[in-house]
Amino acid sequence: MTTNWSKTQRIALTGMFGAIIFLLTFTPLGFLPTPFGISVTIVHIPVIIGAIILGPKYGAILGFMFGMASFIFASTLSVMLSAFIFTPLRPVPGTDSGSPWALLVAFGPRILVGIVAPLVYYGMKKILPAKLDTMSLAVAGIIGSATNTLLVLHLMYFMFREPWSYGRAAAGVEGAQITYTFIAGMIFTGGIPEAIAAAIIVPAVCVALFAVSKRLTSTRTARG
């Protein structure tokens, strides 16, 4: 199913999804508790939904907004020891300055989420029959979520594991050394619940928005 939003509607929807991204980033609404004792984020889900509804171009814009929200939060409010990984405005542990590579971590994976998710959905639509559209949406949600989780955590590991370990050790964290086992644990305890949430929320919201788009299209056609 395709959407037929006008340009004005696409801009308005981009603004709406962007506002939701910032709301989720700067409030507890964007972080859900899990039985594992950690919180998982759902901030990426508006990016995935907006990208599927509006297309990869707008998805990239929403991904940029997600990255900007992460950058601002890490620069101003975050108390996480890993905050320096998402902003060059915080010094890398053991140095007096931040790293410009933090911008790659903050923005790169998030922009790709907005591009990958709709392309996966379009690809699934060509493979599966229309009656299984919900499954196509769920798969797009899962892969979009995995894109964010896997890219962010692997960039954190390969680019910043030494200063991250140093910062944890300086803060007295037990088992401070960042190993790939640690990253794998974060993927399992955080990434899997995030993907499940995306698989549930993305189809539900997208189906509703598809219906709205179809109704708007019918109304415009009826008016001539």
Side-chain angles (χ1 to χ4, degrees):
M1 184 180 293
T2 58
T3 55
N4 295 285
W5 308 103
S6 67
K7 184 175 181 180
T8 300
Q9 290 168 336
R10 289 176 185 273
I11 293 173
L13 285 169
T14 301
M16 181 191 75
F17 284 119
I20 293 172
I21 289 167
F22 276 84
L23 175 66
L24 294 179
T25 299
F26 289 93
T27 69
L29 295 175
F31 303 90
L32 305 178
T34 71
F36 303 105
I38 65 170
S39 294
V40 298
T41 181
I42 57 171
V43 183
H44 58 293
I45 293 180
V47 178
I48 296 171
I49 294 171
I52 291 172
I53 295 297
L54 302 173
K57 181 177 72 173
Y58 288 91
I61 294 171
L62 291 171
F64 179 84
M65 290 181 180
F66 181 12
M68 180 60 69
S70 296
F71 165 74
I72 295 172
F73 183 80
S75 300
T76 59
L77 297 176
S78 179
V79 295
M80 298 289 290
L81 294 174
S82 58
F84 73 94
I85 297 175
F86 299 94
T87 172
L89 301 183
R90 290 214 172 174
V92 175
T95 73
D96 295 324
S97 61
S99 170
W101 290 107
L103 295 175
L104 174 62
V105 182
F107 288 92
R110 281 62 188 273
I111 292 173
L112 284 175
V113 169
I115 298 172
V116 170
L119 294 181
V120 169
Y121 173 61
Y122 301 155
M124 292 298 297
K125 278 173 61 64
K126 294 180 180 179
I127 298 172
L128 298 178
K131 64 182 179 181
L132 295 179
D133 197 54
T134 299
M135 182 179 294
S136 297
L137 290 166
V139 171
I142 291 170
I143 295 181
S145 180
T147 298
N148 180 62
T149 300
L150 295 176
L151 286 180
V152 168
L153 288 177
H154 281 85
L155 286 173
M156 291 171 71
Y157 176 73
F158 287 111
M159 298 177 65
F160 291 107
R161 67 179 179 275
E162 293 304 327
W164 191 8
S165 299
Y166 178 86
R168 284 163 55 88
V173 176
E174 186 177 351
Q177 184 64 36
I178 299 296
T179 65
Y180 194 78
T181 300
F182 177 82
I183 296 298
M186 293 183 70
I187 293 172
F188 179 79
T189 58
I192 292 178
E194 289 173 7
I196 293 173
I200 296 171
I201 298 173
V202 169
V205 176
C206 283
V207 167
L209 290 174
F210 284 150
V212 171
S213 175
K214 185 177 180 180
R215 183 174 300 177
L216 290 174
T217 302
S218 299
T219 301
R220 287 198 299 266
T221 301
R223 290 176 178 176

